[in-house]
Amino acid sequence: MAEVTDDPRYREEHLRVRPYAAWAPERTPVPSPLPGPGEARLVVFDNDGVLVDSEPIANRVLAALLTESGFPTSYEQSIRRYMGGTLDRVRDLARADTGRELPDGFAAVYRSRLKEAFGRELRPVHGMAEVLSALAGRGTPFCVASSSPRDRLLLGLRVTGLDGFFTGRVFTADDVHRGKPAPDLFLHAAVRMGVDPGDAVVVEDSVPGIDAARAAGMASVGFAALTPAERLAGASRVVRDTAQLAALLGLDAAVPSPSR
């Protein structure tokens, strides 16, 4: 396919008139075929639950704070309803369920508690450093595109030691008007990386992320480490761990066995 830099739709003057949001209805929301091993020209990683093992921490903190705020929520409910979305989505769903607003300062308290918990507990997803090293060694471009605010994403990458893999290749919900499941963030990442969306593969562990990849016309790999595989059935393919991901991407990555 042609480079996006040759496509006038991606030029700034066109995007001002017809932003990504206007493209979505023209895209068929079905999984794109996954390129053969080694053929992807860009791999786009979600962050939470894919690069860093943050989802158990984030959903435990979120469920506790929602419950304290008068919106009783279990850890399992938080995983099922909110994983992969933004705090705006949490706010919208809470309003739809109860007709009430989250209290003032909710976001600030959540982020403060999460930052403390990350500093104590956050680890990279097992084997992901080896996958990233193998991609870099093969010369396949990759980036991260996450619903997290930029400061939280950078903190997580720094704490886990993965930040060096993504210098200048970090894209977040702060960069676009609409987060996942809208396609805006993934399309933005493709433009910035100079790759046609049809030549990119997204690695995601959430339903909103898989929906966003489909809407962007990108192939996707559902990473079913925490999310049940059946919930990621909209992905082009589903894997359960980094060893399977490495094999699917055609990488010679020595992923160590999980410690017992």
Side-chain angles (χ1 to χ4, degrees), residues 7-40:
D7 189 331
R9 295 176 304 162
Y10 292 90
R11 294 175 186 162
E12 185 176 355
E13 62 269 23
H14 285 263
L15 290 172
R16 283 199 298 267
V17 176
R18 195 160 188 268
Y20 299 136
W23 300 12
E26 298 179 2
R27 297 185 176 274
T28 303
V30 296
S32 296
L34 194 71
E39 293 180 0

PDB file of all heavy atoms in Angstrom, residues 7-40:
ATOM      1  N   ASP A   7      -0.968  10.274   0.864  1.00  0.00           N
ATOM      2  CA  ASP A   7      -2.426  10.314   0.825  1.00  0.00           C
ATOM      3  C   ASP A   7      -2.897  11.687   1.296  1.00  0.00           C
ATOM      4  O   ASP A   7      -2.662  12.062   2.446  1.00  0.00           O
ATOM      5  CB  ASP A   7      -2.995   9.227   1.739  1.00  0.00           C
ATOM      6  CG  ASP A   7      -4.494   9.059   1.594  1.00  0.00           C
ATOM      7  OD1 ASP A   7      -5.165  10.053   1.257  1.00  0.00           O
ATOM      8  OD2 ASP A   7      -4.995   7.945   1.831  1.00  0.00           O
ATOM      9  N   PRO A   8      -3.563  12.476   0.448  1.00  0.00           N
ATOM     10  CA  PRO A   8      -3.954  13.831   0.848  1.00  0.00           C
ATOM     11  C   PRO A   8      -4.910  13.874   2.024  1.00  0.00           C
ATOM     12  O   PRO A   8      -5.014  14.893   2.708  1.00  0.00           O
ATOM     13  CB  PRO A   8      -4.605  14.393  -0.432  1.00  0.00           C
ATOM     14  CG  PRO A   8      -4.997  13.190  -1.235  1.00  0.00           C
ATOM     15  CD  PRO A   8      -3.960  12.156  -0.932  1.00  0.00           C
ATOM     16  N   ARG A   9      -5.619  12.782   2.317  1.00  0.00           N
ATOM     17  CA  ARG A   9      -6.545  12.788   3.456  1.00  0.00           C
ATOM     18  C   ARG A   9      -5.827  13.027   4.772  1.00  0.00           C
ATOM     19  O   ARG A   9      -6.436  13.490   5.743  1.00  0.00           O
ATOM     20  CB  ARG A   9      -7.300  11.458   3.534  1.00  0.00           C
ATOM     21  CG  ARG A   9      -8.220  11.166   2.373  1.00  0.00           C
ATOM     22  CD  ARG A   9      -8.827   9.782   2.536  1.00  0.00           C
ATOM     23  NE  ARG A   9      -7.789   8.778   2.675  1.00  0.00           N
ATOM     24  CZ  ARG A   9      -8.004   7.558   3.174  1.00  0.00           C
ATOM     25  NH1 ARG A   9      -9.187   7.216   3.628  1.00  0.00           N
ATOM     26  NH2 ARG A   9      -7.011   6.684   3.257  1.00  0.00           N
ATOM     27  N   TYR A  10      -4.531  12.672   4.834  1.00  0.00           N
ATOM     28  CA  TYR A  10      -3.787  12.756   6.082  1.00  0.00           C
ATOM     29  C   TYR A  10      -3.083  14.098   6.267  1.00  0.00           C
ATOM     30  O   TYR A  10      -2.460  14.318   7.290  1.00  0.00           O
ATOM     31  CB  TYR A  10      -2.761  11.619   6.152  1.00  0.00           C
ATOM     32  CG  TYR A  10      -3.374  10.256   6.275  1.00  0.00           C
ATOM     33  CD1 TYR A  10      -3.684   9.508   5.140  1.00  0.00           C
ATOM     34  CD2 TYR A  10      -3.662   9.709   7.518  1.00  0.00           C
ATOM     35  CE1 TYR A  10      -4.249   8.252   5.248  1.00  0.00           C
ATOM     36  CE2 TYR A  10      -4.222   8.453   7.639  1.00  0.00           C
ATOM     37  CZ  TYR A  10      -4.520   7.722   6.499  1.00  0.00           C
ATOM     38  OH  TYR A  10      -5.079   6.483   6.608  1.00  0.00           O
ATOM     39  N   ARG A  11      -3.146  14.953   5.264  1.00  0.00           N
ATOM     40  CA  ARG A  11      -2.494  16.243   5.401  1.00  0.00           C
ATOM     41  C   ARG A  11      -3.253  17.117   6.389  1.00  0.00           C
ATOM     42  O   ARG A  11      -4.476  17.038   6.506  1.00  0.00           O
ATOM     43  CB  ARG A  11      -2.411  16.927   4.036  1.00  0.00           C
ATOM     44  CG  ARG A  11      -1.493  16.196   3.065  1.00  0.00           C
ATOM     45  CD  ARG A  11      -1.531  16.816   1.693  1.00  0.00           C
ATOM     46  NE  ARG A  11      -0.751  16.008   0.751  1.00  0.00           N
ATOM     47  CZ  ARG A  11      -0.875  16.087  -0.568  1.00  0.00           C
ATOM     48  NH1 ARG A  11      -1.742  16.948  -1.099  1.00  0.00           N
ATOM     49  NH2 ARG A  11      -0.141  15.319  -1.361  1.00  0.00           N
ATOM     50  N   GLU A  12      -2.516  17.963   7.077  1.00  0.00           N
ATOM     51  CA  GLU A  12      -3.104  18.749   8.160  1.00  0.00           C
ATOM     52  C   GLU A  12      -4.283  19.577   7.703  1.00  0.00           C
ATOM     53  O   GLU A  12      -5.306  19.659   8.393  1.00  0.00           O
ATOM     54  CB  GLU A  12      -2.037  19.654   8.775  1.00  0.00           C
ATOM     55  CG  GLU A  12      -2.522  20.432   9.998  1.00  0.00           C
ATOM     56  CD  GLU A  12      -1.414  21.242  10.628  1.00  0.00           C
ATOM     57  OE1 GLU A  12      -0.263  21.129  10.179  1.00  0.00           O
ATOM     58  OE2 GLU A  12      -1.719  21.975  11.572  1.00  0.00           O
ATOM     59  N   GLU A  13      -4.179  20.172   6.508  1.00  0.00           N
ATOM     60  CA  GLU A  13      -5.274  21.032   6.062  1.00  0.00           C
ATOM     61  C   GLU A  13      -6.552  20.226   5.792  1.00  0.00           C
ATOM     62  O   GLU A  13      -7.666  20.712   5.988  1.00  0.00           O
ATOM     63  CB  GLU A  13      -4.865  21.811   4.801  1.00  0.00           C
ATOM     64  CG  GLU A  13      -4.532  20.957   3.582  1.00  0.00           C
ATOM     65  CD  GLU A  13      -3.055  20.596   3.518  1.00  0.00           C
ATOM     66  OE1 GLU A  13      -2.393  20.604   4.584  1.00  0.00           O
ATOM     67  OE2 GLU A  13      -2.567  20.295   2.410  1.00  0.00           O
ATOM     68  N   HIS A  14      -6.406  18.965   5.391  1.00  0.00           N
ATOM     69  CA  HIS A  14      -7.571  18.116   5.162  1.00  0.00           C
ATOM     70  C   HIS A  14      -8.146  17.612   6.480  1.00  0.00           C
ATOM     71  O   HIS A  14      -9.358  17.517   6.637  1.00  0.00           O
ATOM     72  CB  HIS A  14      -7.197  16.946   4.253  1.00  0.00           C
ATOM     73  CG  HIS A  14      -7.026  17.324   2.818  1.00  0.00           C
ATOM     74  ND1 HIS A  14      -8.005  17.169   1.868  1.00  0.00           N
ATOM     75  CD2 HIS A  14      -5.972  17.894   2.174  1.00  0.00           C
ATOM     76  CE1 HIS A  14      -7.565  17.600   0.689  1.00  0.00           C
ATOM     77  NE2 HIS A  14      -6.337  18.049   0.850  1.00  0.00           N
ATOM     78  N   LEU A  15      -7.250  17.274   7.419  1.00  0.00           N
ATOM     79  CA  LEU A  15      -7.726  16.771   8.703  1.00  0.00           C
ATOM     80  C   LEU A  15      -8.494  17.837   9.476  1.00  0.00           C
ATOM     81  O   LEU A  15      -9.407  17.527  10.238  1.00  0.00           O
ATOM     82  CB  LEU A  15      -6.550  16.270   9.545  1.00  0.00           C
ATOM     83  CG  LEU A  15      -5.893  14.978   9.044  1.00  0.00           C
ATOM     84  CD1 LEU A  15      -4.637  14.684   9.837  1.00  0.00           C
ATOM     85  CD2 LEU A  15      -6.860  13.822   9.144  1.00  0.00           C
ATOM     86  N   ARG A  16      -8.132  19.113   9.277  1.00  0.00           N
ATOM     87  CA  ARG A  16      -8.891  20.181   9.942  1.00  0.00           C
ATOM     88  C   ARG A  16     -10.316  20.238   9.415  1.00  0.00           C
ATOM     89  O   ARG A  16     -11.256  20.490  10.163  1.00  0.00           O
ATOM     90  CB  ARG A  16      -8.201  21.523   9.731  1.00  0.00           C
ATOM     91  CG  ARG A  16      -6.977  21.750  10.597  1.00  0.00           C
ATOM     92  CD  ARG A  16      -6.634  23.229  10.666  1.00  0.00           C
ATOM     93  NE  ARG A  16      -6.315  23.764   9.355  1.00  0.00           N
ATOM     94  CZ  ARG A  16      -5.085  23.843   8.854  1.00  0.00           C
ATOM     95  NH1 ARG A  16      -4.058  23.413   9.578  1.00  0.00           N
ATOM     96  NH2 ARG A  16      -4.870  24.348   7.661  1.00  0.00           N
ATOM     97  N   VAL A  17     -10.477  19.996   8.133  1.00  0.00           N
ATOM     98  CA  VAL A  17     -11.809  20.049   7.521  1.00  0.00           C
ATOM     99  C   VAL A  17     -12.577  18.759   7.754  1.00  0.00           C
ATOM    100  O   VAL A  17     -13.770  18.766   8.034  1.00  0.00           O
ATOM    101  CB  VAL A  17     -11.682  20.321   6.008  1.00  0.00           C
ATOM    102  CG1 VAL A  17     -13.056  20.279   5.332  1.00  0.00           C
ATOM    103  CG2 VAL A  17     -11.025  21.670   5.774  1.00  0.00           C
ATOM    104  N   ARG A  18     -11.870  17.626   7.660  1.00  0.00           N
ATOM    105  CA  ARG A  18     -12.523  16.320   7.793  1.00  0.00           C
ATOM    106  C   ARG A  18     -11.687  15.443   8.716  1.00  0.00           C
ATOM    107  O   ARG A  18     -10.851  14.666   8.265  1.00  0.00           O
ATOM    108  CB  ARG A  18     -12.662  15.656   6.415  1.00  0.00           C
ATOM    109  CG  ARG A  18     -13.640  14.492   6.412  1.00  0.00           C
ATOM    110  CD  ARG A  18     -14.106  14.207   4.981  1.00  0.00           C
ATOM    111  NE  ARG A  18     -15.171  13.226   5.009  1.00  0.00           N
ATOM    112  CZ  ARG A  18     -14.977  11.910   4.901  1.00  0.00           C
ATOM    113  NH1 ARG A  18     -13.774  11.426   4.759  1.00  0.00           N
ATOM    114  NH2 ARG A  18     -16.011  11.077   4.933  1.00  0.00           N
ATOM    115  N   PRO A  19     -11.893  15.578  10.037  1.00  0.00           N
ATOM    116  CA  PRO A  19     -11.077  14.827  10.999  1.00  0.00           C
ATOM    117  C   PRO A  19     -11.397  13.341  10.967  1.00  0.00           C
ATOM    118  O   PRO A  19     -12.349  12.892  10.333  1.00  0.00           O
ATOM    119  CB  PRO A  19     -11.474  15.459  12.340  1.00  0.00           C
ATOM    120  CG  PRO A  19     -12.839  15.999  12.104  1.00  0.00           C
ATOM    121  CD  PRO A  19     -12.880  16.453  10.678  1.00  0.00           C
ATOM    122  N   TYR A  20     -10.566  12.584  11.717  1.00  0.00           N
ATOM    123  CA  TYR A  20     -10.744  11.139  11.759  1.00  0.00           C
ATOM    124  C   TYR A  20     -12.174  10.730  12.083  1.00  0.00           C
ATOM    125  O   TYR A  20     -12.682   9.742  11.576  1.00  0.00           O
ATOM    126  CB  TYR A  20      -9.831  10.521  12.822  1.00  0.00           C
ATOM    127  CG  TYR A  20      -8.371  10.730  12.620  1.00  0.00           C
ATOM    128  CD1 TYR A  20      -7.554  11.081  13.691  1.00  0.00           C
ATOM    129  CD2 TYR A  20      -7.787  10.573  11.376  1.00  0.00           C
ATOM    130  CE1 TYR A  20      -6.193  11.273  13.521  1.00  0.00           C
ATOM    131  CE2 TYR A  20      -6.431  10.758  11.202  1.00  0.00           C
ATOM    132  CZ  TYR A  20      -5.644  11.106  12.277  1.00  0.00           C
ATOM    133  OH  TYR A  20      -4.315  11.284  12.115  1.00  0.00           O
ATOM    134  N   ALA A  21     -12.819  11.495  12.973  1.00  0.00           N
ATOM    135  CA  ALA A  21     -14.166  11.133  13.415  1.00  0.00           C
ATOM    136  C   ALA A  21     -15.110  10.998  12.236  1.00  0.00           C
ATOM    137  O   ALA A  21     -16.052  10.193  12.272  1.00  0.00           O
ATOM    138  CB  ALA A  21     -14.699  12.177  14.387  1.00  0.00           C
ATOM    139  N   ALA A  22     -14.893  11.768  11.192  1.00  0.00           N
ATOM    140  CA  ALA A  22     -15.774  11.716  10.032  1.00  0.00           C
ATOM    141  C   ALA A  22     -15.481  10.514   9.147  1.00  0.00           C
ATOM    142  O   ALA A  22     -16.284  10.167   8.287  1.00  0.00           O
ATOM    143  CB  ALA A  22     -15.635  13.005   9.209  1.00  0.00           C
ATOM    144  N   TRP A  23     -14.323   9.867   9.363  1.00  0.00           N
ATOM    145  CA  TRP A  23     -13.982   8.721   8.537  1.00  0.00           C
ATOM    146  C   TRP A  23     -14.663   7.440   9.024  1.00  0.00           C
ATOM    147  O   TRP A  23     -14.925   6.558   8.239  1.00  0.00           O
ATOM    148  CB  TRP A  23     -12.487   8.455   8.560  1.00  0.00           C
ATOM    149  CG  TRP A  23     -11.622   9.560   8.065  1.00  0.00           C
ATOM    150  CD1 TRP A  23     -11.972  10.854   7.802  1.00  0.00           C
ATOM    151  CD2 TRP A  23     -10.230   9.460   7.775  1.00  0.00           C
ATOM    152  NE1 TRP A  23     -10.886  11.554   7.379  1.00  0.00           N
ATOM    153  CE2 TRP A  23      -9.804  10.743   7.345  1.00  0.00           C
ATOM    154  CE3 TRP A  23      -9.316   8.424   7.833  1.00  0.00           C
ATOM    155  CZ2 TRP A  23      -8.487  10.988   6.990  1.00  0.00           C
ATOM    156  CZ3 TRP A  23      -8.009   8.670   7.485  1.00  0.00           C
ATOM    157  CH2 TRP A  23      -7.599   9.942   7.065  1.00  0.00           C
ATOM    158  N   ALA A  24     -14.914   7.366  10.318  1.00  0.00           N
ATOM    159  CA  ALA A  24     -15.321   6.099  10.915  1.00  0.00           C
ATOM    160  C   ALA A  24     -16.513   5.448  10.230  1.00  0.00           C
ATOM    161  O   ALA A  24     -16.506   4.243   9.999  1.00  0.00           O
ATOM    162  CB  ALA A  24     -15.598   6.283  12.408  1.00  0.00           C
ATOM    163  N   PRO A  25     -17.613   6.181   9.900  1.00  0.00           N
ATOM    164  CA  PRO A  25     -18.750   5.517   9.295  1.00  0.00           C
ATOM    165  C   PRO A  25     -18.431   4.857   7.956  1.00  0.00           C
ATOM    166  O   PRO A  25     -19.135   3.971   7.509  1.00  0.00           O
ATOM    167  CB  PRO A  25     -19.757   6.663   9.112  1.00  0.00           C
ATOM    168  CG  PRO A  25     -19.367   7.676  10.122  1.00  0.00           C
ATOM    169  CD  PRO A  25     -17.879   7.596  10.165  1.00  0.00           C
ATOM    170  N   GLU A  26     -17.355   5.291   7.281  1.00  0.00           N
ATOM    171  CA  GLU A  26     -17.022   4.715   5.999  1.00  0.00           C
ATOM    172  C   GLU A  26     -16.251   3.410   6.138  1.00  0.00           C
ATOM    173  O   GLU A  26     -16.052   2.708   5.156  1.00  0.00           O
ATOM    174  CB  GLU A  26     -16.178   5.712   5.195  1.00  0.00           C
ATOM    175  CG  GLU A  26     -16.906   7.018   4.902  1.00  0.00           C
ATOM    176  CD  GLU A  26     -16.026   7.968   4.135  1.00  0.00           C
ATOM    177  OE1 GLU A  26     -14.874   7.594   3.798  1.00  0.00           O
ATOM    178  OE2 GLU A  26     -16.478   9.096   3.860  1.00  0.00           O
ATOM    179  N   ARG A  27     -15.798   3.089   7.336  1.00  0.00           N
ATOM    180  CA  ARG A  27     -14.985   1.901   7.530  1.00  0.00           C
ATOM    181  C   ARG A  27     -15.862   0.722   7.939  1.00  0.00           C
ATOM    182  O   ARG A  27     -16.777   0.867   8.743  1.00  0.00           O
ATOM    183  CB  ARG A  27     -13.912   2.154   8.599  1.00  0.00           C
ATOM    184  CG  ARG A  27     -12.931   3.246   8.182  1.00  0.00           C
ATOM    185  CD  ARG A  27     -11.820   3.383   9.204  1.00  0.00           C
ATOM    186  NE  ARG A  27     -10.855   4.345   8.750  1.00  0.00           N
ATOM    187  CZ  ARG A  27      -9.830   4.051   7.948  1.00  0.00           C
ATOM    188  NH1 ARG A  27      -9.651   2.815   7.542  1.00  0.00           N
ATOM    189  NH2 ARG A  27      -8.984   4.985   7.564  1.00  0.00           N
ATOM    190  N   THR A  28     -15.576  -0.442   7.392  1.00  0.00           N
ATOM    191  CA  THR A  28     -16.339  -1.632   7.724  1.00  0.00           C
ATOM    192  C   THR A  28     -15.783  -2.229   9.008  1.00  0.00           C
ATOM    193  O   THR A  28     -14.619  -2.623   9.053  1.00  0.00           O
ATOM    194  CB  THR A  28     -16.226  -2.665   6.589  1.00  0.00           C
ATOM    195  OG1 THR A  28     -16.680  -2.059   5.380  1.00  0.00           O
ATOM    196  CG2 THR A  28     -17.068  -3.886   6.907  1.00  0.00           C
ATOM    197  N   PRO A  29     -16.594  -2.311  10.082  1.00  0.00           N
ATOM    198  CA  PRO A  29     -16.077  -2.759  11.380  1.00  0.00           C
ATOM    199  C   PRO A  29     -15.955  -4.271  11.463  1.00  0.00           C
ATOM    200  O   PRO A  29     -16.646  -4.928  12.231  1.00  0.00           O
ATOM    201  CB  PRO A  29     -17.106  -2.211  12.365  1.00  0.00           C
ATOM    202  CG  PRO A  29     -18.388  -2.214  11.592  1.00  0.00           C
ATOM    203  CD  PRO A  29     -17.996  -1.891  10.163  1.00  0.00           C
ATOM    204  N   VAL A  30     -15.102  -4.848  10.644  1.00  0.00           N
ATOM    205  CA  VAL A  30     -14.827  -6.282  10.696  1.00  0.00           C
ATOM    206  C   VAL A  30     -13.326  -6.456  10.846  1.00  0.00           C
ATOM    207  O   VAL A  30     -12.548  -5.580  10.471  1.00  0.00           O
ATOM    208  CB  VAL A  30     -15.318  -7.001   9.418  1.00  0.00           C
ATOM    209  CG1 VAL A  30     -16.824  -6.894   9.302  1.00  0.00           C
ATOM    210  CG2 VAL A  30     -14.658  -6.439   8.171  1.00  0.00           C
ATOM    211  N   PRO A  31     -12.876  -7.590  11.412  1.00  0.00           N
ATOM    212  CA  PRO A  31     -11.436  -7.770  11.592  1.00  0.00           C
ATOM    213  C   PRO A  31     -10.705  -7.755  10.258  1.00  0.00           C
ATOM    214  O   PRO A  31     -11.124  -8.383   9.291  1.00  0.00           O
ATOM    215  CB  PRO A  31     -11.344  -9.149  12.260  1.00  0.00           C
ATOM    216  CG  PRO A  31     -12.689  -9.401  12.850  1.00  0.00           C
ATOM    217  CD  PRO A  31     -13.657  -8.707  11.952  1.00  0.00           C
ATOM    218  N   SER A  32      -9.603  -7.024  10.194  1.00  0.00           N
ATOM    219  CA  SER A  32      -8.751  -7.049   9.011  1.00  0.00           C
ATOM    220  C   SER A  32      -7.868  -8.287   9.074  1.00  0.00           C
ATOM    221  O   SER A  32      -7.493  -8.744  10.148  1.00  0.00           O
ATOM    222  CB  SER A  32      -7.886  -5.788   8.956  1.00  0.00           C
ATOM    223  OG  SER A  32      -8.684  -4.633   8.814  1.00  0.00           O
ATOM    224  N   PRO A  33      -7.525  -8.855   7.919  1.00  0.00           N
ATOM    225  CA  PRO A  33      -6.655 -10.043   7.939  1.00  0.00           C
ATOM    226  C   PRO A  33      -5.285  -9.703   8.501  1.00  0.00           C
ATOM    227  O   PRO A  33      -4.734  -8.633   8.244  1.00  0.00           O
ATOM    228  CB  PRO A  33      -6.579 -10.446   6.461  1.00  0.00           C
ATOM    229  CG  PRO A  33      -6.942  -9.219   5.698  1.00  0.00           C
ATOM    230  CD  PRO A  33      -7.902  -8.458   6.556  1.00  0.00           C
ATOM    231  N   LEU A  34      -4.753 -10.622   9.266  1.00  0.00           N
ATOM    232  CA  LEU A  34      -3.444 -10.407   9.871  1.00  0.00           C
ATOM    233  C   LEU A  34      -2.363 -10.673   8.836  1.00  0.00           C
ATOM    234  O   LEU A  34      -2.390 -11.684   8.125  1.00  0.00           O
ATOM    235  CB  LEU A  34      -3.266 -11.357  11.058  1.00  0.00           C
ATOM    236  CG  LEU A  34      -2.110 -11.062  11.995  1.00  0.00           C
ATOM    237  CD1 LEU A  34      -2.414  -9.808  12.813  1.00  0.00           C
ATOM    238  CD2 LEU A  34      -1.869 -12.242  12.924  1.00  0.00           C
ATOM    239  N   PRO A  35      -1.385  -9.756   8.692  1.00  0.00           N
ATOM    240  CA  PRO A  35      -0.277 -10.024   7.769  1.00  0.00           C
ATOM    241  C   PRO A  35       0.471 -11.289   8.171  1.00  0.00           C
ATOM    242  O   PRO A  35       0.422 -11.730   9.316  1.00  0.00           O
ATOM    243  CB  PRO A  35       0.618  -8.787   7.923  1.00  0.00           C
ATOM    244  CG  PRO A  35      -0.255  -7.732   8.523  1.00  0.00           C
ATOM    245  CD  PRO A  35      -1.253  -8.465   9.374  1.00  0.00           C
ATOM    246  N   GLY A  36       1.180 -11.863   7.233  1.00  0.00           N
ATOM    247  CA  GLY A  36       1.993 -13.019   7.556  1.00  0.00           C
ATOM    248  C   GLY A  36       3.100 -12.641   8.525  1.00  0.00           C
ATOM    249  O   GLY A  36       3.427 -11.460   8.690  1.00  0.00           O
ATOM    250  N   PRO A  37       3.690 -13.628   9.199  1.00  0.00           N
ATOM    251  CA  PRO A  37       4.763 -13.338  10.156  1.00  0.00           C
ATOM    252  C   PRO A  37       5.864 -12.493   9.517  1.00  0.00           C
ATOM    253  O   PRO A  37       6.366 -12.815   8.449  1.00  0.00           O
ATOM    254  CB  PRO A  37       5.283 -14.734  10.529  1.00  0.00           C
ATOM    255  CG  PRO A  37       4.123 -15.636  10.288  1.00  0.00           C
ATOM    256  CD  PRO A  37       3.418 -15.066   9.090  1.00  0.00           C
ATOM    257  N   GLY A  38       6.183 -11.407  10.167  1.00  0.00           N
ATOM    258  CA  GLY A  38       7.249 -10.544   9.692  1.00  0.00           C
ATOM    259  C   GLY A  38       6.839  -9.534   8.640  1.00  0.00           C
ATOM    260  O   GLY A  38       7.662  -8.727   8.204  1.00  0.00           O
ATOM    261  N   GLU A  39       5.558  -9.542   8.200  1.00  0.00           N
ATOM    262  CA  GLU A  39       5.136  -8.654   7.121  1.00  0.00           C
ATOM    263  C   GLU A  39       4.563  -7.321   7.605  1.00  0.00           C
ATOM    264  O   GLU A  39       4.418  -6.390   6.804  1.00  0.00           O
ATOM    265  CB  GLU A  39       4.107  -9.351   6.237  1.00  0.00           C
ATOM    266  CG  GLU A  39       4.673 -10.537   5.461  1.00  0.00           C
ATOM    267  CD  GLU A  39       3.634 -11.214   4.603  1.00  0.00           C
ATOM    268  OE1 GLU A  39       2.454 -10.759   4.613  1.00  0.00           O
ATOM    269  OE2 GLU A  39       3.977 -12.204   3.921  1.00  0.00           O
ATOM    270  N   ALA A  40       4.207  -7.220   8.867  1.00  0.00           N
ATOM    271  CA  ALA A  40       3.653  -5.962   9.381  1.00  0.00           C
ATOM    272  C   ALA A  40       4.695  -4.860   9.290  1.00  0.00           C
ATOM    273  O   ALA A  40       5.869  -5.064   9.624  1.00  0.00           O
ATOM    274  CB  ALA A  40       3.199  -6.125  10.827  1.00  0.00           C
TER     275      ALA A  40
END
